[in-house]
Amino acid sequence: MRDEFRADLQIVSQLLVDMAEAIRAAMRQATRALLTADRQAAETVIERDAEIDDLYRHVEERVCNLLARQAPVASDLRAMITALHVAADLERMGDLADHVAKTALRRHPSPAVPAELRTVFTDMASIADRMAEKIGKVLAKPDADLAAELDRDDDTMDDLHKSLFAVLLGDDWPYGVETAIDATLLGRFYERFADHAVNAGEHVVYLITGEPAASAE
Amino acid sequence: MRDEFRADLQIVSQLLVDMAEAIRAAMRQATRALLTADRQAAETVIERDAEIDDLYRHVEERVCNLLARQAPVASDLRAMITALHVAADLERMGDLADHVAKTALRRHPSPAVPAELRTVFTDMASIADRMAEKIGKVLAKPDADLAAELDRDDDTMDDLHKSLFAVLLGDDWPYGVETAIDATLLGRFYERFADHAVNAGEHVVYLITGEPAASAE
């Protein structure tokens, strides 16, 4: 029974690692679509979001199956509930990559991000990518220190988000309202991506330490 | 055992109904704060968000406790997993009310919403309120038809959201980028509130019918 539980848990963990890799790839590609007006990259992200949703459903099915067959308690039960939370965060991160891709596509062949904002979006995307990478690592091999780094990464993301608004609200903003709306929504997508990475990290920390972390919001 | 499960399930259901009422009250008050620059209403919403978070934690604890003690299977297990999903959606709806209140507060004593946008935000808030009310009813007494109405309400919300952008992008938009940014974010908060209501409704429908609904996104 115990060995069987371990084997099932391993499968669930692997599905979560697969999800983390998929959402990382999705956000990288969505960023490329955004910054280089790459139509094909955008379409790939949108098409492949269904695969991330499928992985989410697989996690749910596995966990429910495992709860029904094995009736785990204590830390084993906590691991199952954690898997559900983390999968929900990762699924939502996939949606956010999809939103970035759709914004890029809506403006294609024009770039959705004007020259003045390329640096800040490049930096936000770079933090998002780093956070997605860390979530993947932490899920493959629980590491409370690495998970805790996500909080600091999120602070950097918040600073970048503020600097985005500073550009939009500067007296010399040369674009109109439409570009500002796009940039506002895009900024929010990257920022929420980071929030969900922090949430997922907190769930993993809780699993390792048994101590709930403060909520990211 | 069976009676005990029913009694526990009843407690979880009541917590979810309490959450639904709390998030409905929060969004009503946040809207008042927004449309009448009511500082105290905004502060109340922000303070009371912690109570919604507490309710969420209570649901999680109850469900985990129940899973550990009773090891439910089949539809009983499904009810537990559904409760976790619905609670997560409701908690997020509370966050979104909090975001609306914070936006109102940030602009206080100026109104965050200019005269040209009062109608669309009044209408969005009215749909949000109707959806929150329905979720509360559906949780108190499962009703697949009522839950299905949430989808139509969400279509109305999406139309309002589009009409908001039409005003922002009109040639005669008399305000600057800052007001457009606020309106963009506020529009997103109401629209996401509706999305989560739809998700919560779909989880309830799944519980009633055993058929997963298509995802809202």
Side-chain angles (χ1 to χ4, degrees):
Chain A
M1 192 76 165
R2 187 78 198 156
D3 284 352
E4 202 182 330
F5 179 80
R6 285 291 130 205
D8 282 341
L9 187 61
Q10 188 53 43
I11 291 170
V12 170
S13 292
Q14 187 55 51
L15 283 169
L16 292 176
V17 171
D18 293 347
M19 279 188 88
E21 283 169 6
I23 60 102
R24 185 183 180 204
M27 196 48 126
R28 287 172 82 106
Q29 210 154 13
T31 299
R32 187 163 72 241
L34 186 70
L35 296 178
T36 66
D38 182 336
R39 184 186 188 99
Q40 203 185 334
E43 285 170 347
T44 304
V45 172
I46 295 161
E47 276 164 31
R48 298 195 65 178
D49 189 46
E51 293 173 27
I52 296 169
D53 294 345
D54 281 344
L55 283 168
Y56 181 38
R57 267 188 289 275
H58 283 155
V59 172
E60 287 233 309
E61 280 164 20
R62 275 275 164 188
V63 168
C64 286
N65 187 285
L66 209 153
L67 288 172
R69 279 189 302 110
Q70 306 235 15
V73 294
S75 68
D76 289 347
L77 175 58
R78 207 164 66 197
M80 293 296 93
I81 301 296
T82 299
L84 291 180
H85 279 301
V86 170
D89 280 314
L90 294 171
E91 189 269 341
R92 184 72 200 141
M93 291 166 85
D95 285 341
L96 292 162
D98 173 87
H99 292 356
V100 170
K102 280 180 179 153
T103 306
L105 208 54
R106 202 166 57 236
R107 296 287 165 244
H108 188 84
S110 302
V113 169
E116 285 80 353
L117 295 176
R118 287 185 66 85
T119 305
V120 65
F121 277 109
T122 302
D123 291 348
M124 287 180 101
S126 158
I127 298 287
D129 186 57
R130 190 198 301 170
M131 294 176 85
E133 183 187 16
K134 280 181 192 168
I135 279 294
K137 281 189 183 169
V138 159
L139 289 168
K141 187 167 173 292
D143 177 338
D145 292 334
L146 191 60
E149 282 181 29
L150 289 163
D151 251 342
R152 289 199 294 280
D153 293 333
D154 190 45
D155 290 341
T156 310
M157 183 66 93
D158 289 343
D159 289 343
L160 287 166
H161 198 206
K162 279 185 200 124
S163 75
L164 166 65
F165 286 122
V167 178
L168 294 180
L169 298 174
D171 289 336
D172 51 351
W173 173 249
Y175 303 94
V177 166
E178 185 164 18
T179 307
I181 289 174
D182 277 348
T184 300
L185 290 174
L186 287 166
R188 179 117 187 116
F189 299 151
Y190 283 101
E191 188 238 335
R192 290 294 301 155
F193 187 91
D195 285 342
H196 283 286
V198 171
N199 280 348
E202 283 173 354
H203 285 298
V204 175
V205 169
Y206 175 57
L207 192 59
I208 301 170
T209 65
E211 295 291 326
S215 171
E217 283 206 309
Chain B
M1 192 76 167
R2 187 75 199 160
D3 285 350
E4 202 181 331
F5 180 80
R6 286 289 130 204
D8 282 342
L9 187 60
Q10 187 51 44
I11 291 170
V12 170
S13 291
Q14 186 55 51
L15 284 169
L16 293 177
V17 171
D18 292 348
M19 280 187 88
E21 283 169 6
I23 60 102
R24 185 182 180 203
M27 196 47 126
R28 286 173 83 106
Q29 209 154 14
T31 299
R32 186 162 73 241
L34 187 69
L35 295 178
T36 66
D38 181 337
R39 185 187 186 97
Q40 204 185 334
E43 284 170 348
T44 304
V45 173
I46 295 162
E47 275 164 32
R48 299 195 64 176
D49 189 47
E51 293 172 26
I52 296 169
D53 294 346
D54 280 344
L55 282 168
Y56 180 37
R57 267 189 289 274
H58 284 154
V59 172
E60 288 233 310
E61 279 163 20
R62 274 278 163 184
V63 168
C64 286
N65 187 283
L66 209 154
L67 289 172
R69 279 189 302 111
Q70 306 235 16
V73 295
S75 67
D76 290 347
L77 176 58
R78 207 164 66 196
M80 294 295 95
I81 301 296
T82 298
L84 291 180
H85 279 301
V86 170
D89 280 313
L90 294 172
E91 190 269 341
R92 186 70 200 142
M93 290 165 87
D95 285 343
L96 291 162
D98 173 87
H99 292 356
V100 170
K102 280 181 178 153
T103 305
L105 207 55
R106 201 166 58 236
R107 296 285 166 246
H108 188 85
S110 303
V113 169
E116 285 80 352
L117 295 176
R118 286 184 67 84
T119 306
V120 64
F121 277 110
T122 302
D123 291 348
M124 287 179 100
S126 158
I127 298 287
D129 187 57
R130 189 197 304 173
M131 294 177 85
E133 183 188 16
K134 280 181 191 169
I135 279 295
K137 281 189 183 169
V138 159
L139 288 168
K141 185 166 175 295
D143 178 338
D145 293 334
L146 191 61
E149 282 181 28
L150 289 163
D151 251 343
R152 289 198 294 278
D153 293 333
D154 190 45
D155 290 341
T156 310
M157 182 67 95
D158 288 344
D159 289 343
L160 287 167
H161 197 206
K162 279 185 200 123
S163 75
L164 166 66
F165 285 123
V167 178
L168 295 179
L169 297 173
D171 288 338
D172 51 350
W173 172 247
Y175 303 94
V177 166
E178 186 164 18
T179 306
I181 290 174
D182 276 348
T184 300
L185 290 174
L186 287 166
R188 180 123 185 110
F189 299 152
Y190 284 101
E191 188 239 333
R192 290 294 301 154
F193 187 91
D195 285 343
H196 283 286
V198 171
N199 279 347
E202 284 173 353
H203 285 298
V204 175
V205 170
Y206 175 57
L207 192 59
I208 300 170
T209 65
E211 295 291 325
S215 170
E217 284 208 308

